[in-house]
Structures are given as structure tokens and as C-alpha cells.
Amino acid sequence: MIKGAGMDAPAGGGDEALHAAYALATAFLASLPQRAVSLVPTPQEMALALDEALPEHGSDPAGVVGEWFARAERGITASPGPRFFGFVNGGATPAALAGDWLASAIDQNAGLWAGSPAAAQTELVVLRWLQELFALPGAWQGALTSGATMANLVGLATARQWAGRQLGFDAAADGLAGRPPIIVAGSSEIHLSAVKCLGTLGFGRNQLRRVDAHNGEVDLDALAALLRDIDGPVILIGNAGEVNSGHFDDLAALADLRDGHPGGAWLHVDAAFGLFAAVSPRLAHLVRGIERADSVAADGHKWLNVPYDCGFAFVRDGALLREAFAVAGAYVAGGAGWDPFTHVPEMSRRFRGLAAWCALKAYGRAGYRALVERCVDNAGAFARWVEATPGIELMNPAPLNIVCFRFVRRGLDGAAHDELNRAAVRAIQADGRAFVTGTVWQGRAAIRAAFDNWRTTPADVGLLQEAVAQAGASLSA
Ligand SMILES: *Cc1c(COP(=O)(O)O)cnc(C)c1O
């Protein structure tokens, strides 16, 4: 026991803090159906609530937990609740949340086998279950990451390693400086996280060759024409679920282009949420061909409905993956089993696999199929309502779980329409019944609603419709 302020509490003090957290957590979860989704506080309000100097002396841990909640509550978004339709979020299921809590309590270092054989073996099993869930080849290797951005990074780092090998060097060992540039191509709709990764990995954000996407789907003729002008190896980034309206590139056609490129090509697919189409026989056609990719990135904290942070990457060539993230050193000499940290950027890691294990075990393939189909049905119902409602138009009919729409008014020009829709997003958020976010779709301000939360019911979709309709009416007035 460390003697000093706040840390010399009696042995029972830790329990009291856990009980305090439990009471706050269960009350919060119970409030989700009624709670305003967001109170949209200003940065000034939040600074006023929370900013203070570092405490010189500690205080009772149970009290600290309660104090934080009370002071921060105005800024807590009900994003795990049933009516948060912004960005692409999920909401932790009971099994996932319980697993996540336990992971914090047992506080394992899931970086290497020797740190926690239980964590390493659990992650291996989770990765295999995910491969089975998504019908990805069992021989692929993977890693759990903090989200899809890091999963994109893992896939693209492996692609970089492959491209270096094609050009005669070891990219991870020797770097890209002084080497021929490695060309990366994708559609104009690839996710900004993939672009961010190109910066992190030394390709350069501006090196991406973008080809047009019609209605969100890459123009294959334009891509083929681009490839004809490139002699060397190319990394192709495909979209399985474009973030504004949920459209898919034709992955099988991308795999054909990859196979036909004389200089060699690598196909990386960003399937952050789109991979979940694979769990439903009704929707699996959307990801046809994904099993021919070289690497695939997806999110856990979206449609798997596990808590932040969780994503996963899969690559066909595990040896290249390990080359990209190899570590050498006596200090961490390989253990008897699998070392996750030779497959990801980090070394020490959170045991995020436990939440995923609990969720997959508790709900199984059938549970996830039902969850995905329910979300897609909710999205379809909302899209039909948009189409049937005067003054609102669907911007791009959704094949999956994202509905992109906007308000239209006779006599408004483009700029006024954009302002109307930005104001509508603010009005819907401020109303608190439902939360949607804005975007720009094909040059026009638009509104998105994403459906990937296990809690959302048709009644919640009804409340979303009411909030949208009311915002529209108030803006016309
Ligand atoms: C959300 C998302 C990402 C980024 O994922 P994070 O989990 O936020 O890092 C990447 N690509 C797509 C298509 C996404 O929807």
C-alpha cells in the first residue's frame, strides 16, 4: 500500500468506489430510453463544469466517481441509447459491457502471451469466431485494434510491406525515403480514416489517386484507366459501406482489377460497418468478393455493439503482417504462445477481446444476424418515410443501414438549401429526442441517420421521424 494522500484508504475503499460506479452506470443505462440524447453543451459550459487545477491532495475514490458524473453529466451523450443516429455508432450490449468491466478489473496486459495467456488465447478465439461470422478465409490472420482507423492502419501497413517487397526493399525496416513512390488508389468516397493512415504510414495523404464514385460506388472504368497508366505495384482501397450513404464498391470487380494489374496490386477493403452485411443471407451479396481481398478492416464498437475501443483487421498473408510490426529485443522475447503485439502498432494493450468474447458467446451467429437485419429494417422504414414525406428527399437510396436525406423547399437556391439543412441538423440535435449528424453529399449539405444500435425499436424510428418533421416545420415557420 502506498502511503500518501488518498491511496492509504482501508482495503474496503476500492469496493465502495466500484459500488458507486455500478450505481451510476445502472441508473444511466435505465435512463437511456427517456434521456435527452444530447444537451449539446458549449465548450465553455463544459470547461466551467470540469476545469480545475491538479488536486494537491486526494479524496475518497467513491466520492470522486460520483463527483465526476455530476459535473460532467451535461456533456454525456446518450450514444449507447436507442436514438443516437449520428456518425456510425453502436451501443454496448449487456454481455459486452459485463466483459468490458471484467477486463478493467482483471487489468491484463494483452500485448504479449507472457503478459496474459488468457487474454492472448481469448483474442485468438475471438478472431477465429469473427472469421467464421463474416465467412472470411480461416487461414487469414488478424488482430484486434482500437477501432477501424487502426484496423485500416494494420491492413495498409501490411500492404506497404508487400509493395516494398515488390520494389526490392523492406519498408518497415528501411523506410520509404529515397524509394520509388508507392501508388495508392481508391474512390473519392473512401473514408477519411484511410487517408489519415496514408499520412501516418509515410505514403503521404496527398499521394492518394482518387477516382470518381457514382452514388458512392467506385467507377470501375475510371479505375481501370488509372491502373493502365501505372507500371509498378498499386495498393487499391475498396469501400464496403461508404460512410455517407452506405454504398459498396463492387469488391469482386476490384479483385479482378487487382489480379489483372501487370505491376501487381494489393486490395485493402475498409469494411468498418459494411462487413456486417456478411452475417445476413439477405445482405451478404453486398460484400461478395471480400474473401478475395488481401486485407480487411472493420469495427467492433460499431455494429458488433461492444464498448469503445474495438476494431479488427484481417490479412491474407500473416508473415507480411508480422514483418510490418516485428519487435526484436531480449526484454520481450517471444513467449510460448501468440503475441498480439507483433501484429499491431502498440505494445501494451487493453484486453478488448473479453468484451467481444462475451458478446459473441452470449448472442451467437443468430443473434448478430437478427441484430443486423433489425437495424437494416429500421433504416428501410425510415427511408420509406423520407420518400413519402413532402419537403424531404432521399439523397441516395440506402442498401444497408445509413439513410442520407435533406430538406428541400421551393424557391431556395443551393446555398440556402445548404444552410437550411445545417440548421435542421442543429435543430434536431437540440431537440434531444434523436441525434443525427450532417454531411455533404455530392456537393450538397445533407443529413445522415445511421442504424446500428441493438436497442433501437420501430417506436424509436417513429420518434426520429417526429423530431425530423418538427425541425422541418419550425424551420419553415
Ligand atoms: C467509422 C469508420 C472508420 C473509422 O473507424 P474508427 O473506429 O472511428 O477508427 C473507417 N472507415 C469507415 C467506413 C467507417 O465507417
Side-chain angles (χ1 to χ4, degrees):
M1 182 66 58
I2 300 171
K3 288 289 170 193
M7 290 199 204
D8 50 0
D15 271 7
E16 279 163 31
L18 285 183
H19 284 299
Y22 178 81
L24 288 165
T26 48
F28 174 76
L29 293 175
S31 77
L32 282 174
Q34 300 86 33
R35 174 179 279 268
V37 186
S38 173
L39 298 176
V40 212
T42 63
Q44 290 78 6
E45 284 175 275
M46 291 312 295
L48 204 63
L50 285 170
D51 270 6
E52 65 177 38
L54 170 71
E56 191 60 39
H57 300 288
S59 47
D60 166 48
V64 163
V65 171
E67 178 182 334
W68 176 84
F69 197 93
R71 290 171 62 179
E73 185 163 13
R74 219 181 132 62
I76 299 176
T77 307
S79 50
R83 291 183 305 280
F84 186 94
F85 302 98
F87 313 110
V88 188
N89 276 32
T93 57
L97 177 57
D100 198 61
W101 275 6
L102 189 58
S104 288
I106 63 177
D107 198 16
Q108 304 289 284
N109 184 345
L112 69 181
W113 178 268
S116 175
Q121 190 64 45
T122 301
E123 287 201 10
L124 268 183
V125 172
V126 164
L127 289 164
R128 176 153 62 80
W129 282 355
L130 292 170
Q131 281 164 289
E132 291 178 21
L133 182 65
F134 300 123
L136 292 174
W140 289 16
Q141 300 206 10
L144 294 182
T145 64
S146 60
T149 304
M150 289 308 265
N152 275 328
L153 188 99
V154 166
L156 291 169
T158 313
R160 182 184 65 174
Q161 200 60 20
W162 165 84
R165 289 277 176 227
Q166 303 299 298
L167 295 165
F169 66 98
D170 179 334
D174 300 324
L176 301 182
R179 308 289 180 180
I182 296 170
I183 311 257
V184 183
S187 90
S188 55
E189 300 303 333
I190 70 170
H191 195 269
L192 31 119
S193 70
V195 179
K196 188 173 176 169
C197 292
L198 297 182
T200 312
L201 289 167
F203 292 110
R205 296 169 194 240
N206 295 335
Q207 296 307 315
L208 176 67
R209 308 284 176 91
R210 289 174 184 269
V211 302
D212 280 346
H214 300 314
N215 294 324
E217 189 180 329
V218 66
D219 179 336
L220 292 165
D221 293 335
L223 184 59
L226 176 77
L227 288 175
R228 277 195 292 277
D229 287 340
I230 301 170
D231 295 328
V234 181
I235 297 167
L236 296 174
I237 301 179
N239 260 343
E242 163 287 314
V243 80
N244 284 311
S245 65
H247 279 255
F248 288 71
D249 291 342
D250 181 338
L251 302 175
L254 286 181
D256 289 342
L257 284 177
R258 186 259 331 259
D259 293 345
H261 185 60
W266 177 282
L267 176 58
H268 173 75
V269 177
D270 179 351
F273 58 92
L275 188 56
F276 286 77
V279 311
S280 161
R282 244 171 69 190
L283 304 162
H285 63 275
L286 294 167
V287 286
R288 194 178 62 87
I290 200 164
E291 70 289 347
R292 293 173 60 199
D294 298 292
S295 52
V296 172
D299 248 321
H301 52 223
K302 289 177 180 167
W303 231 345
L304 200 64
N305 278 251
V306 298
Y308 294 95
D309 48 11
C310 182
F312 27 94
F314 292 102
V315 302
R316 176 181 301 281
D317 187 335
L320 271 178
L321 169 63
R322 281 185 294 277
E323 261 181 48
F325 294 110
V327 272
Y331 170 65
V332 291
W338 187 62
D339 287 326
F341 73 4
T342 51
H343 301 71
V344 289
E346 314 95 300
M347 294 196 63
S348 297
R349 296 165 70 244
R350 175 173 176 74
F351 180 19
R352 57 180 67 91
L354 181 49
W357 192 92
C358 291
L360 288 162
K361 183 79 176 169
Y363 309 119
R365 189 194 299 274
Y368 275 100
R369 175 180 166 180
L371 163 64
V372 166
E373 291 181 348
R374 193 163 71 238
C375 291
V376 171
D377 289 344
N378 285 338
F382 181 65
R384 281 193 300 280
W385 175 81
V386 165
E387 284 185 301
T389 305
I392 315 179
E393 72 179 17
L394 198 58
M395 300 205 68
N396 196 20
L400 198 65
N401 63 328
I402 296 183
V403 181
C404 186
F405 63 101
R406 67 172 192 154
F407 287 97
V408 283
R409 295 280 181 275
R410 225 187 299 279
L412 291 190
D413 65 7
H417 265 128
D418 287 351
E419 188 38 51
L420 173 72
N421 282 282
R422 284 191 288 265
V425 169
R426 291 192 296 271
I428 295 164
Q429 291 181 354
D431 172 83
R433 261 175 298 181
F435 196 93
V436 295
T437 45
T439 189
V440 173
W441 180 247
Q442 297 183 333
R444 294 178 298 182
I447 307 172
R448 304 164 59 260
F451 298 76
D452 18 30
N453 188 307
W454 67 279
R455 282 192 166 87
T456 307
T457 64
D460 293 308
V461 179
L463 285 170
L464 168 66
Q465 289 165 190
E466 282 175 25
V468 169
Q470 198 170 322
S474 72
L475 291 166
S476 310

